[in-house]
Every structure is written in C-alpha cells, then in structure tokens.
Amino acid sequence: MLGAGAFKDCIGLKSVIFPARLERIEENVFSGCENVGEISFLGKLSWWKTAMERSLSWHEGCAATVVKCADGIAAI
C-alpha cells in the first residue's frame, strides 16, 4: 500500500516504479510532485484496471498521463 501523501512535495522525483504486488494507492500520493512524468507498474494491465484499489485523487499533482504496465499502458 502507498499511503496518503507518500511522496508529498518530492520536487526532485521524476519517475516512479510500482511493484507488481501493490494492492492499494491512497489519495494525493504525488501532491506537490509536478516533475513526476513517468509512472511504471511491474504488474499486468488487467490487475491495474480491475483489482488495484486506487483513490480518485491518487495521481493529482504529477505530470504523468499514463501508467506503463508490464504488458500495456493505462490512461490516468
């Protein structure tokens, strides 16, 4: 699980790789992280789209528009 505000105000952060076993992402993980332009998920696209629990605001604050999964790309 990534807790609320996990990367808050990490202005030097440019990319993030989530492990395949990630099951939950809480709100505002990237608050104040406007330089994050790339998000990767080592798991399958189907898991990201259906089983992964994500807050509606998990991605707010970052520049990334997609998540690159191991077998495809998901729009944010």
Side-chain angles (χ1 to χ4, degrees):
M1 178 187 79
L2 278 176
F7 298 113
K8 184 177 181 177
D9 297 326
C10 291
I11 58 173
L13 191 63
K14 295 182 180 182
S15 64
V16 176
I17 300 172
F18 295 145
R21 293 184 181 204
L22 184 62
E23 295 180 359
R24 181 179 169 91
I25 303 175
E26 294 187 347
E27 65 274 354
N28 302 313
V29 169
F30 294 108
S31 178
C33 300
E34 59 273 355
N35 293 321
V36 174
E38 186 173 315
I39 299 173
S40 298
F41 175 59
L42 299 178
K44 293 185 176 188
L45 180 62
S46 60
W47 174 263
W48 181 265
K49 286 184 170 183
T50 61
M52 170 79 73
E53 286 185 56
R54 295 180 307 277
S55 163
L56 291 176
S57 65
W58 74 271
H59 62 283
E60 289 183 12
C62 74
T65 58
V66 298
V67 174
K68 296 178 183 177
C69 299
D71 60 348
I73 295 176
I76 292 179

